[in-house]
Amino acid sequence: MTGTSFYLLCGVWALVMLAIFVQAIRLSYRIEARSRDLTNRSGFPRNAMMFHTVTNTNVARDEETQAMRRRMNRLLLVVLAGFALLWAGVSLVQSAE
């Protein structure tokens, strides 16, 4: 694989992973808005409470919110799998050289 195509592939991979992660963050904010214990009442912006939504801590127990949480977990697993595939691909290319 030439250097230019490798960098292009890595750039496209990075954009895809970033887009999927942003979707997971947006879902986390929607889950927080539906969960009474996670709602931001301070008036100041804060980071997404993804750890709470991933582990189902203080998250509303209704079926729609839980479905959103499962979708967010799947998106995060896709990002994790994307990193694993990139690592495996780079390892294979390095071992072939």
Side-chain angles (χ1 to χ4, degrees):
M1 178 178 285
T2 64
T4 305
S5 60
F6 175 73
Y7 290 126
L8 182 65
L9 180 66
C10 285
V12 170
W13 171 85
L15 289 175
V16 169
M17 291 296 110
L18 186 61
I20 294 171
F21 191 67
V22 167
Q23 286 178 345
I25 291 172
R26 292 180 67 204
L27 267 175
S28 178
Y29 279 125
R30 286 178 45 203
I31 293 167
E32 290 172 30
R34 296 176 59 90
S35 302
R36 187 173 50 88
D37 293 337
L38 294 179
T39 304
N40 184 7
R41 294 182 189 89
S42 68
F44 295 104
R46 70 173 183 201
N47 296 332
M49 298 184 71
M50 290 188 81
F51 179 77
H52 287 79
T53 54
V54 166
T55 59
N56 208 16
T57 306
N58 297 330
V59 175
R61 301 294 185 209
D62 63 285
E63 187 57 39
E64 188 175 349
T65 304
Q66 291 297 314
M68 289 168 53
R69 192 184 70 79
R70 285 189 296 273
R71 181 168 182 249
M72 184 193 72
N73 286 343
R74 280 193 306 269
L75 289 172
L76 292 173
L77 284 174
V78 167
V79 171
L80 185 63
F83 274 96
L85 285 173
L86 180 70
W87 173 76
V90 168
S91 296
L92 285 174
V93 167
Q94 284 180 346
S95 67
E97 291 178 351

